[in-house]
Amino acid sequence: YGCYRLTSHLIHNGHTRIGFVGDPHATASIMDRYLGFYRAMLSHDLEIRPEWIIGDRDKNGADIRIKLPEEMPEAFVCNCDLTAARLTRTLEKKGIRVPEDVSVTGFDDFLNDVEPTTPLSTFRPNTEGMAEIAVKRIVERCDGNMGPSEKIVVGGRPIYRQSDGIREKKK
């Protein structure tokens, strides 16, 4: 849902040509984030171009060089803030400015010493809520309550900073 909201925000700001950076097959969380991006694009009847879905890691999960497409989208939704920072550095090395030329969003609101030049728009998961639910479930299991397995969705909120510019809508 976080990437759905970030992608919808970009669309609301006039972006129609949007790519995704991350390998949806690498982890369940990246797949979920990709599906949020995908849903927003479909909901707004926008084209999802395969060349704008860019890998950020190899089969073992190690970072790989981010390969920019020949024709650039107006914005990228990245699977995490670290990937967004790497993408921003790659763009800047090519003389592409964020957000003036290309907008970039991340996910997690977690950057330490890799902060990109432009403060990153991102999605901040409710980590406190996740920890609270996890501890509660562990205590329940320790008490012998082995109820059925379940998937629990814990929300978060978008944090809009300066890396997602507004595009003028084409007339």
Side-chain angles (χ1 to χ4, degrees):
Y1 183 67
C3 277
Y4 173 83
R5 289 188 64 188
L6 289 170
T7 306
S8 294
H9 172 75
L10 290 169
I11 294 166
H12 176 75
N13 283 345
H15 296 79
T16 57
R17 299 160 35 92
I18 305 171
F20 182 85
V21 184
D23 182 351
H25 301 287
T27 67
S29 63
I30 296 174
M31 176 62 80
D32 288 344
R33 293 168 190 185
Y34 174 75
L35 292 173
F37 158 80
Y38 191 87
R39 178 177 171 228
M41 295 294 284
L42 288 177
S43 295
H44 292 89
D45 201 28
L46 295 175
E47 179 182 17
I48 300 166
R49 294 183 49 178
E51 66 271 24
W52 290 347
I53 310 303
I54 300 171
D56 67 333
R57 60 195 72 203
D58 65 18
K59 292 177 184 178
N60 299 316
D63 290 346
I64 60 171
R65 185 173 67 85
I66 294 175
K67 297 177 187 170
L68 299 176
E70 284 188 34
E71 183 183 344
M72 291 290 290
E74 300 165 336
F76 285 104
V77 174
C78 297
N79 78 84
C80 68
D81 291 348
L82 295 174
T83 292
R86 290 178 49 226
L87 173 66
T88 299
R89 285 193 302 275
T90 300
L91 291 166
E92 289 171 348
K93 286 178 186 173
K94 298 277 189 183
I96 300 168
R97 301 167 302 158
V98 174
E100 295 85 357
D101 301 322
V102 174
S103 291
V104 175
T105 66
F107 198 100
D108 292 323
D109 196 26
F110 178 78
L111 285 177
N112 290 330
D113 58 348
V114 293
E115 184 72 36
T117 309
T118 303
L120 185 64
S121 293
T122 187
F123 188 84
R124 180 183 296 159
N126 180 356
T127 52
E128 293 84 12
M130 285 188 257
E132 185 177 308
I133 291 168
V135 168
K136 181 180 176 189
R137 293 293 182 252
I138 291 169
V139 169
E140 288 172 357
R141 293 206 177 250
C142 288
D143 288 342
N145 182 355
M146 301 304 258
S149 295
E150 58 188 345
K151 182 174 183 175
I152 299 171
V153 178
V154 179
R157 65 187 177 98
I159 307 293
Y160 302 121
R161 294 189 179 109
Q162 297 161 357
S163 66
D164 61 293
I166 297 175
R167 290 277 183 258
E168 289 192 28
K169 295 185 181 183
K170 296 177 180 145
K171 297 178 181 184

